[in-house]
Amino acid sequence: MAADDAEETAAEVMAKAAELLQKIASPFISFVFESIPIVINVAQSSYNFYKRLPTNYIHFLIGTIMCFFGGIYPTVFAAIEAAEHGGLTTVRKALKDVSEEILIIVEESKKDDATDEDKDGVNDVKQISGKALVKRKLKLVLTKMDPNKVNAAIQSIYKVWMSVLAVLTIKFARTIALALSISDFVKKFVNRFILPIIRGATPPEYKKWVPVISDWCCKSIGISIAWKVQSVISAFASSMAGGLIISRALLVILSTNGFEFGGINDHRDTIVDEIASYFFAGLGFYFQFYFGFSAPFPLNIVLYPVQMMDYYIRHAVTSK
């Protein structure tokens, strides 16, 4: 009897979940197809604007980003640097191909949304269930997309990512070793003083999970501390490098705009750029230290995708 009640309850839950999915399917699909072109257009416009900037302004922008954010997203900067030597041009082309295919699908979806085959004055997509809408859009994607082009683009991105991951694993080998050392140290302390107390307070049927969860927690602590130390190191190094790029780019920009420095417009003829770089480096490091090596509000919202990318790369490098 209890088993029958449990089966009925599970069936009701599944039915409610299916009904909920059907309700949100239509607005979710509409949101995806409306937002993707905006994201692609913004990315393309930003890249075109970046390419139109004079070289010195590009150097100033790169230096500023490195100086103020190098320790906040250390793995992202390292991945970009590795990709620059291992196929960043290939990734750009692959992303361009994928975005072109996505825009084709979006345009075809708009045409599909406006279809009224039964001529009743109501678009067909508004007269079908959420499940049927998902099937309809999936069929549209499969029939309108070029699979060879998309497959080649994905393979190119994957190959570059594998080469970048190999470089990052070597680059952050010390961080990985530090994480393992810290986790082993914490694990010894926990096993000796904390684990017996937890086992005593845990019901017998759940005691087998105690050492497993304890091991997870110790590794998490070790990884967190190690990457925090790496953030400090990366922040210091990137602030120094970025500060020097800023000062040298600024020297040329000011010289070309009529500001005279005793007739000096080349950083090789003066030490002004080196002196100024220490100021920018100190400012950049203090900025990152003040905000705990995290992007402040509202930049944390704007840069949230970059933060997720940094977390993923950290996990990929540490778990490799």
Side-chain angles (χ1 to χ4, degrees):
M1 193 71 177
D4 293 338
D5 293 340
E7 290 180 1
E8 290 179 2
T9 303
E12 291 176 0
V13 172
M14 293 296 293
K16 290 181 180 179
E19 183 180 353
L20 179 62
L21 287 174
Q22 289 189 10
K23 288 181 180 180
I24 67 175
S26 180
F28 177 74
I29 291 175
S30 299
F31 171 77
V32 170
F33 279 99
E34 290 294 333
S35 60
I36 285 178
I38 297 174
V39 173
I40 292 176
N41 289 330
V42 169
Q44 289 177 341
S45 300
S46 301
Y47 180 72
N48 292 333
F49 174 76
Y50 168 79
K51 295 296 288 184
R52 287 197 299 267
L53 285 173
T55 304
N56 293 318
Y57 286 89
I58 293 176
H59 290 169
F60 180 81
L61 179 62
I62 293 173
T64 302
I65 295 173
M66 286 182 60
C67 187
F68 289 88
F69 296 94
I72 297 176
Y73 310 114
T75 61
V76 174
F77 284 94
I80 294 173
E81 182 182 358
E84 189 69 45
H85 302 285
L88 193 58
T89 303
T90 303
V91 173
R92 290 196 193 102
K93 183 181 182 301
L95 291 176
K96 183 175 179 294
D97 291 341
V98 172
S99 63
E100 288 175 353
E101 289 300 308
I102 292 175
L103 290 176
I104 290 173
I105 298 301
V106 170
E107 290 302 318
E108 292 296 331
S109 177
K110 289 180 180 178
K111 295 178 182 178
D112 181 60
D113 292 341
T115 302
D116 182 18
E117 293 182 353
D118 53 9
K119 308 298 182 184
D120 62 351
V122 181
N123 296 340
D124 295 341
V125 294
K126 296 182 179 179
Q127 297 177 310
I128 58 178
S129 64
K131 183 178 180 180
L133 180 63
V134 172
K135 290 183 177 180
R136 183 185 181 110
K137 294 301 180 182
L138 181 60
K139 181 181 178 181
L140 185 144
V141 171
L142 294 176
T143 54
K144 300 299 181 181
M145 181 176 285
D146 184 351
N148 294 323
K149 189 175 181 180
V150 173
N151 182 59
I154 293 175
Q155 284 183 346
S156 299
I157 294 173
Y158 181 75
K159 289 178 181 177
V160 174
W161 165 242
M162 286 293 100
S163 64
V164 168
L165 186 58
V167 173
L168 295 183
T169 302
I170 298 173
K171 183 180 180 65
F172 294 110
R174 291 182 179 179
T175 305
I176 299 171
L178 179 62
L180 294 175
S181 299
I182 295 174
S183 62
D184 287 341
F185 176 80
V186 174
K187 188 176 180 180
K188 291 177 181 178
F189 176 82
V190 170
N191 289 343
R192 184 174 181 180
F193 297 103
I194 300 178
L195 207 59
I197 299 174
I198 297 177
R199 278 178 175 164
T202 304
E205 61 270 24
Y206 300 122
K207 285 187 177 181
K208 60 183 179 180
W209 284 98
V210 172
V212 177
I213 296 176
S214 173
D215 186 57
W216 291 347
C217 293
C218 292
K219 287 182 178 179
S220 298
I221 293 172
I223 291 171
S224 299
I225 295 174
W227 279 110
K228 182 62 70 174
V229 173
Q230 181 60 51
S231 294
V232 176
I233 297 172
S234 297
F236 183 81
S238 62
S239 295
M240 295 293 291
L244 186 59
I245 295 173
I246 292 173
S247 62
R248 289 181 174 176
L250 200 58
L251 176 64
V252 178
I253 291 171
L254 293 176
S255 298
T256 54
N257 284 276
F259 290 88
E260 295 292 337
F261 295 95
I264 298 173
N265 55 11
D266 192 331
H267 67 84
R268 288 171 293 188
D269 300 329
T270 180
I271 61 170
V272 173
D273 56 319
E274 280 88 353
I275 296 173
S277 70
Y278 293 124
F279 169 75
F280 291 120
L283 193 63
F285 184 82
Y286 178 75
F287 172 84
Q288 296 174 79
F289 175 79
Y290 181 79
F291 290 105
F293 301 98
S294 300
F297 179 83
L299 290 177
N300 57 341
I301 298 175
V302 178
L303 298 174
Y304 183 75
V306 183
Q307 183 69 66
M308 291 296 100
M309 189 184 304
D310 186 70
Y311 284 151
Y312 172 75
I313 296 174
R314 292 186 186 192
H315 172 74
V317 170
T318 307
S319 61
K320 186 174 176 61

